[in-house]
Amino acid sequence: MVSKRQAILIVLIVLIATKFERLPSLISLTLMQDGIILLIVLGILDVLFLGFALNFFNEFNDRGDLYNLASESWGKGGAKVLYFILFCYLIVVAVLPFESVHDFFANNLFNELNYALFGLIFLITVVFFANKGLKTLGRTIEIFSLLIFISLAFILVIGLMTGDLTNILPLNNSSFSVFVSEFARDTLWFGSFWIMFLLTGKVKLQKNDKITLNLIIPYAVFCVFVIPGFYLGFYSIYNNLAGYQTNAISAITQFAFLNLDLGRVDWFLVLFEQVSTIISTAIYIYLAGVCFCRVFNIKKEQIVEFIIGLALFLLDVFVFKEINTSALNFREITHYFCIFVNYLLPFAIILTFKRKKQDKRSKAYV
Amino acid sequence: MITNEVEKQFSKLNDINIREIDAGGVRVRLYFIECLIDKNLIAGGVIKPIIESADKLKAHGDKLDFLISTVISAPKTERIGASEALSKILAGNCVIAVEDESELISVCLQGYQTRGITEPPTNSVLKGPREGFVEDLNVNISLIRRRLQTPDLHIFTTLIGRKSQTKVALVYLASCVSPQVLRELKKRLNKIDIDGVTASYYIESLIRNNSGKLFRQVGSTEKPDIAMAKILEGRIAIIVDGTPIVLSVPYVFLEDLQSSDDYYMHPARASMVRIMRFLGLILGVLLPGLYVALESFHYRILPIDFLLSLLSSIYAISFPPLIEILFVLFLFEILNEASIRMPKYLGMALSIIGALVLGDEAVKAGVITPPSIIVVAISGICLYIVPDQTPIMSLMRILFTLLGGFAGFFGVVMGLIFFVGYLSSINNFGAPLMAPFAPKVNSDLKDGLIKSSTKQMITRPMSFPNRNRVRQAPRSAAQAKDILGKGKSNG
């Protein structure tokens, strides 16, 4: 069980992880200036779905976790199917932070990075956290959150101050079809509100206490202002070359202090921001482990979490060595699945669960 | 005869003294160990009065009762059975056997030499009390009792160690301590089955949780004012006979960043000092690792002027940065260990040889570089800002150096996340080690890195289980609200 504050921070950390690395440059490849519109639209959608998720969470948090609720509404088989879908989804989204941390260190901080050593250290850390569970994850996030948010704020300010903001104009150059196809492909990076569904039944709240505006407001600020604002800064610095920067967060501060690739003290700020990415990987692995164990009735979550971590490590070593092609291929393969999980599955869950609850109430009344 | 029964018990004790007195025809035998008792007390308070009242003793029906109530002038006197005689004698009591009586008398005459109360070397203060605990349990209890003159102060004493029979006292305020914590502590103490306890560290290591073995899970102090403050917060002080270090549970990591001086100075100054301690601790642990990572992998981070200056210092060194820093750390640890163990009069010579001659010549010989000496020296000084954490943090420093040397900043960052996560996962006696930061406990942050004034600290800490929240009467409606439970975290 985690506290209300920890739950809020977990969602926010997952939200900001991965949004500032590969995503801005991928969007800028096709949409260029209009990428900011896409990010605002995706952000607004995310806030909207967070509202649904919180409504669900506040109603069902004291009645058990998502699996138990699904068992009541859809039967055990239905619950297992739901958790298997969520397991696949969590594995898909866990690849992003895993790969983006690797990309940052391999392509920016190291001339040559030993893949095996990187994977081993990463594996040990994320599996340790996944094994320790939500409580330790929540507490660790509490300690690092201030550092992460401050470093992100500095990076954002530096980015916005360094670039030529007029580069973002004129807007709305892209055709609607390009916009829609890019929207579909980039849903992989969104959907952090799902964490709130998965935290249902795992948050200790005082009687009559709820999570509402205290999460929605910061979430909305990040989705609608910070992430598009970051894109604005990034694109205004690199303009048409933005798509060739593999790691936006590292690139955005490159010309802030010196016009050289030497004296990059700004990388310290990026390092703190990377903590969010590393921790969010652990959160995904932990939640994926929980889902898998529920589906196959496995008692020892630790072993499953270790295997998931190992699978991601192998994926990183053998598949994601070439960041550009692998990221593009990966989103091509997964985007339909992500659209389904992000924008259809929540409705199915909310509607059927609430209906079941109403049925129960009316039966009790009769 | 009871004397036969008693004497059979200590037939193997060759330092026991037996003194027989003929008190008007009644034989009285005194058993004691000379080095454990006060000779003046036994002569003036026991032997002399018995001889003087010999006539009356013979006439009295209940001779033991007569001796206890009328004759012996020692303050702590009691009737005991024959089976208790040996333990009483070994504890520094005098046992008296009277002819034809089935019971014995035990007179407390403990009188061994102890060290005087002095300022402890590990907890010096500028403005606070200078008294320190000593090795004697009774003196230590008196130092606390004198400061907390309330019947609410409870003292539970137990013996630990099959052979040492070391007295261990739990001191707490009954109205403030959590019954669960007290029960758990007693349970863990009861479980201890060891031949002897030479110092409080034995108890510390035997009552800690299995998880989080690497880090302290029990607080410690040498100063009665600190122990008193902890007891007032609802903690339990554990006093072990024979050691001046008093333990306390529950313990949170923040305690080591606090010093008793903080409470005797302006809160603004105390806050600044605490932040310095915190940053110093982080710098002390991470600096060698960051230096090695920078020099080995990420020299592009350094501004060009600084990089050129650094390169000019290190160009002649043939060792890789990791080996060089490990070598300097190794030297530092050796010098540190030698300065502690070496006789004090050799300390100055050691400093000159170690720091000046060895350091200077090693640089000239090209074995190490000046930057590495500066880095290790800064790190070493920083670690001693928080002396209670120095031993374990110097180990961590080596670990981070290795991580920095093998995996650069990635290793250091991952190590840091792992380290914080590991600390965050530790709970002992219901207290999360990293509270009040993780889980965040708002009310306790008033005594966190930023210290509020004493006026504002109206409640007891909520980071660990205790009872009776109110420490001071609230001065405002907001403070009253604070008492009613705001700030409680359950993560």
Side-chain angles (χ1 to χ4, degrees), chain A residues 1-2 6 128-129 132-145 279, chain B residues 209 211-212 215-217 251-253 393 415-428 430-440 463 491:
Chain A
M1 295 290 263
V2 289
Q6 287 169 352
F128 164 79
F129 275 103
K132 286 285 177 183
L134 269 184
K135 197 174 240 184
T136 299
L137 277 165
R139 287 178 185 176
T140 309
I141 288 172
E142 275 190 304
I143 289 177
F144 281 114
S145 56
I279 294 175
Chain B
N209 267 350
S211 63
F215 290 90
R216 263 154 65 85
Q217 291 174 23
Y251 160 80
V252 290
F253 189 83
M393 290 303 168
L416 187 66
I417 298 173
F418 190 96
F419 179 55
V420 170
Y422 182 72
L423 288 175
S424 303
S425 69
I426 299 171
N427 283 291
N428 207 11
L433 190 68
M434 294 305 278
F437 306 112
K440 191 180 174 195
S463 299

Side-chain angles (χ1 to χ4, degrees), chain A residues 3 5-6 105 108-111 117-118 121-122 128-129 136 139-140 142 204 261-264 267 271 278, chain B residues 297-304 406-407 409-410 413-414 417-418 421-422 424-425 427 438-440 490-491:
Chain A
S3 68
R5 181 186 146 83
Q6 287 169 352
F105 285 100
N108 293 284
L109 277 177
F110 285 85
N111 291 331
L117 186 66
F118 164 84
I121 295 175
F122 202 96
F128 164 79
F129 275 103
T136 299
R139 287 178 185 176
T140 309
E142 275 190 304
K204 258 190 197 171
D261 205 24
L262 277 172
R264 295 292 308 272
W267 270 337
L271 273 174
I278 294 161
Chain B
F297 303 103
H298 317 298
Y299 45 83
R300 280 192 297 159
I301 285 184
L302 297 172
I304 193 142
F406 287 117
F409 275 175
F410 173 70
V413 169
M414 294 304 272
I417 298 173
F418 190 96
Y422 182 72
S424 303
S425 69
N427 283 291
K440 191 180 174 195
N490 41 24

